[in-house]
Amino acid sequence: MSLHGPDRINLQELPAWFDALFSHCTNRLAADALHYVDGQIANTTCRIHASNQGRVDFIRSRLDVRPSEKPVEEHWFSLSGDEIGWRIPLWDDPNWNITSFDTALASAGYKVHPPFFDRDWIVQRISDGMAIHIVPRWDDLRPWDGGAPLRWIVHWSAQRRQMRLIHAGTLATQGHGVLLCGAGGAGKSGTVLSGLAQGLSSVGDDYILLDQRDTPRAERIYTVMKQDDKGLARFPDLDAKLRSVARNWHGKAEFDPRHTFPGQIISSFELVAIILPRVAAVPACELKPMARRQALDTLTRAMNAEFFGEISQTLFTMNRLLARLPAYELALSRDPADIAQTITRLIFELTSLDALERA
Amino acid sequence: MRMPMSVNQFELAAPQCVADEFDGEVVILHMATGVYYCLQGLGAAFWRDLMAGHALPDLIKAVASTDSALEEAVTTLGQDLIAAELLRPTTVNMPETAPSVLAAYVAGDRHLGLDSYDDMSDLVLSDPIHDVDEEIGWPVLKT
């Protein structure tokens, strides 16, 4: 099959290519030529289209798509160029910089993921939130895409509603809980697993939705958790269940925690603190208040690693969060029960304090 | 940056600077230097008034005539905002409402300093074309 479109593209040509791509998708949408699923994601009723049913099923298995009776507000597309007859151009603009890239495309009506990866385009039409992620073939998706498909599109959609996707783990009890933040390897996922194994709740351990429109809340957005073999060894029951699960690109088992911890994966909760865990192997967990500026630096760096190109929004979001929530550094022990108890105690202390202040 | 004496009104020096206000605190990020600045209390009110179109000399005079002990601090704040290149001259209609610095003063806010932080400048200034290691990913800077 001959493919439509240019092989290479620069900043000047990009808006016209996006115009044509969005027009093509709109026509296919009208002709009902794509597979799709409807539902509510990040407080948006959206229709997720893909160029094959398998991709729709995969996305539905990873994203928390909730039933919705409301009309579709946004259309999101996950496409393989070869399946729709489109050649996906290579970025060919050696003198680009991120500021002029963002500015030029925004003035043309698009928000676009910076072209860091070859022939991999993620773009949102600003006027109506319609968004497309397209690669030449499914094999060209980045290896980490499977853990959180459409994450930039979800993130941009959330931003339209004064929310944002953040990279954090979560633990809660009785409707209140904490964010677990930090760079990869800090111990976020292991801490979440420790809490879940001891009966706490969570909305996720990787990407979650942060809603700061009122009292800060964490909301579930993805339905997958990840853990490597070393981490799983601390949880023998879970390790046994996941032994046959294929490992992802990072050597981690991916699983749906709703099946592994039934009833403990909740939709949302009110945040009372931010915890920055650190793998320390100390005899007992050590929890210490963290200075706001130090926490801001750590949080901004960790978030920027996941949503690069948005440094000012990231800094401001984290600063707002730290203006309302205390931050703590948690030196982790090896004992899951100790970790869970330390966090539970903190949540109860802060919730009681808050209740006293409100009274 | 030196401004002619005739320049009285200022606006945020966008797009090289971006600002956010929350819970009484103003944060301004200078994208070209990577430094971010914070204003609180009276300083945040002073910034709000500047952004609303109040003339800088009028604001300095308003604060100084209310409390002469603050004259030096408020003059320094105006100079610091200009020196940090967070402002650029503009001409807009003068607002009809009174500046909020006076209400902030009455409320007890006295903090007028422009706090600056450069601890994240490496992150802000990193160049995605040349600094990103394609094998490792963003934002691991090449050494």
Side-chain angles (χ1 to χ4, degrees):
Chain A
M1 181 171 68
S2 67
L3 298 175
H4 171 79
D7 185 56
R8 289 171 178 270
I9 204 157
N10 60 33
L11 186 55
Q12 199 179 353
E13 298 158 340
L14 208 46
W17 187 69
F18 287 145
D19 289 345
L21 181 62
F22 275 80
S23 173
H24 180 80
C25 286
T26 304
N27 293 339
R28 288 186 74 110
L29 194 152
D32 207 15
L34 292 166
H35 306 268
Y36 65 83
V37 58
D38 288 347
Q40 184 175 314
I41 301 167
N43 289 3
T44 310
T45 304
C46 60
R47 178 167 292 178
I48 300 172
H49 308 259
S51 45
N52 75 50
Q53 185 61 43
R55 181 67 181 162
V56 171
D57 294 340
F58 178 76
I59 291 171
R60 190 164 46 182
S61 74
R62 296 301 170 103
L63 258 175
D64 184 24
V65 184
R66 302 176 198 181
S68 174
E69 299 295 320
K70 291 196 292 184
V72 172
E73 296 167 281
E74 291 180 7
H75 290 271
W76 304 348
F77 296 79
S78 178
L79 303 171
S80 166
D82 63 348
E83 288 181 349
I84 64 165
W86 273 59
R87 181 180 293 108
I88 310 307
L90 184 69
W91 181 237
D92 186 21
D93 205 333
N95 298 318
W96 74 289
N97 69 65
I98 203 159
T99 306
S100 60
F101 181 86
D102 285 345
T103 306
L105 291 167
S107 67
Y110 296 107
K111 193 166 193 172
V112 186
H113 183 278
F116 294 143
F117 307 114
D118 288 348
R119 302 184 196 276
D120 186 334
W121 294 99
I122 309 172
V123 51
Q124 182 198 60
R125 190 163 64 191
I126 295 167
S127 60
D128 60 2
M130 184 169 165
I132 299 170
H133 182 195
I134 189 165
V135 288
R137 293 166 299 278
W138 295 123
D139 288 349
D140 295 315
L141 284 170
R142 302 294 139 187
W144 51 83
D145 183 85
L150 302 180
R151 73 180 167 107
W152 278 90
I153 291 174
V154 172
H155 176 53
W156 290 336
S157 177
Q159 282 183 325
R160 290 165 67 86
R161 288 156 184 82
Q162 289 78 53
M163 296 178 282
R164 68 165 285 162
L165 208 61
I166 62 168
H167 183 229
T170 54
L171 281 173
T173 180
Q174 297 180 16
H176 296 84
V178 297
L179 273 186
L180 298 153
C181 302
K188 299 186 293 294
S189 293
T191 303
V192 173
L193 272 187
S194 297
L196 287 171
Q198 299 297 316
L200 295 180
S201 306
S202 177
V203 299
D205 78 336
D206 198 9
Y207 293 102
I208 61 108
L209 192 69
L210 174 65
D211 184 350
Q212 291 202 80
R213 290 174 297 176
D214 194 356
T215 306
R217 295 188 70 82
E219 295 191 19
R220 187 175 75 209
I221 200 84
Y222 286 101
T223 55
V224 61
M225 284 190 180
K226 302 188 268 290
Q227 188 57 252
D228 61 20
D229 290 341
K230 192 177 165 191
L232 284 173
R234 295 161 61 208
F235 309 95
D237 291 347
L238 183 61
D239 193 22
K241 281 183 194 169
L242 299 176
R243 202 156 288 157
S244 60
V245 172
R247 272 33 182 173
N248 71 5
W249 68 287
H250 226 187
K252 293 183 177 180
E254 294 184 352
F255 57 98
D256 186 337
R258 292 174 300 181
H259 301 146
T260 320
F261 300 101
Q264 292 174 249
I265 306 305
I266 56 178
S267 300
S268 74
F269 65 83
E270 185 177 326
L271 287 163
V272 296
I274 301 162
I275 291 179
L276 295 104
R278 178 169 56 85
V279 176
V282 288
C285 282
E286 296 167 8
L287 188 70
K288 291 179 190 165
M290 196 173 197
R292 182 172 161 187
R293 290 294 155 204
Q294 189 189 352
L296 181 62
D297 185 280
T298 308
L299 284 178
T300 304
R301 286 177 190 280
M303 299 302 163
N304 192 62
E306 300 296 323
F307 294 99
F308 39 81
E310 296 196 336
I311 184 68
S312 57
Q313 296 99 315
T314 301
L315 174 69
F316 295 155
T317 300
M318 294 302 114
N319 191 54
R320 284 177 175 225
L321 194 59
L322 286 162
R324 302 163 91 175
L325 299 179
Y328 298 85
E329 182 185 25
L330 175 61
L332 295 166
S333 70
R334 290 181 193 279
D335 179 7
D338 175 42
I339 293 170
Q341 283 162 12
T342 304
I343 290 173
T344 305
R345 259 198 311 272
L346 177 69
I347 295 170
F348 280 141
E349 278 172 20
L350 293 173
T351 312
S352 311
L353 201 64
D354 190 42
L356 275 175
E357 281 176 1
R358 285 182 194 180
Chain B
M1 181 170 62
R2 287 193 172 277
M3 295 288 171
M5 291 302 288
S6 58
V7 173
N8 289 332
Q9 290 178 296
F10 295 90
E11 63 183 0
L12 177 71
Q16 74 171 5
C17 296
V18 282
D20 185 49
E21 182 174 354
F22 182 73
D23 207 19
E25 180 187 49
V26 174
V27 179
I28 311 146
L29 175 62
H30 196 304
M31 301 297 290
T33 63
V35 178
Y36 71 95
Y37 300 84
C38 294
L39 289 163
Q40 291 170 329
L42 202 53
F46 184 87
W47 173 268
R48 266 194 303 276
D49 290 336
L50 266 184
M51 295 300 106
H54 286 283
L56 181 61
D58 293 350
L59 289 173
I60 292 173
K61 193 174 167 187
V63 174
S65 60
T66 305
D67 185 343
S68 58
L70 293 176
E71 181 170 1
E72 187 179 344
V74 74
T75 304
T76 301
L77 175 59
Q79 290 168 343
D80 287 349
L81 290 170
I82 291 170
E85 300 184 354
L86 305 178
L87 301 172
R88 69 168 167 236
T90 188
T91 306
V92 293
N93 290 334
M94 291 289 282
E96 292 175 3
T97 52
S100 65
V101 279
L102 301 178
Y105 180 85
V106 171
D109 288 327
R110 297 289 186 273
H111 189 88
L112 269 168
L114 179 66
D115 301 321
S116 66
Y117 304 91
D118 64 359
D119 46 335
M120 274 186 270
S121 58
D122 59 324
L123 206 59
V124 179
L125 297 176
S126 55
D127 174 353
I129 306 173
H130 303 102
D131 291 341
V132 177
D133 186 319
E134 290 176 15
E135 292 302 313
I136 300 172
W138 178 276
V140 179
L141 302 184
K142 286 181 176 174
T143 52

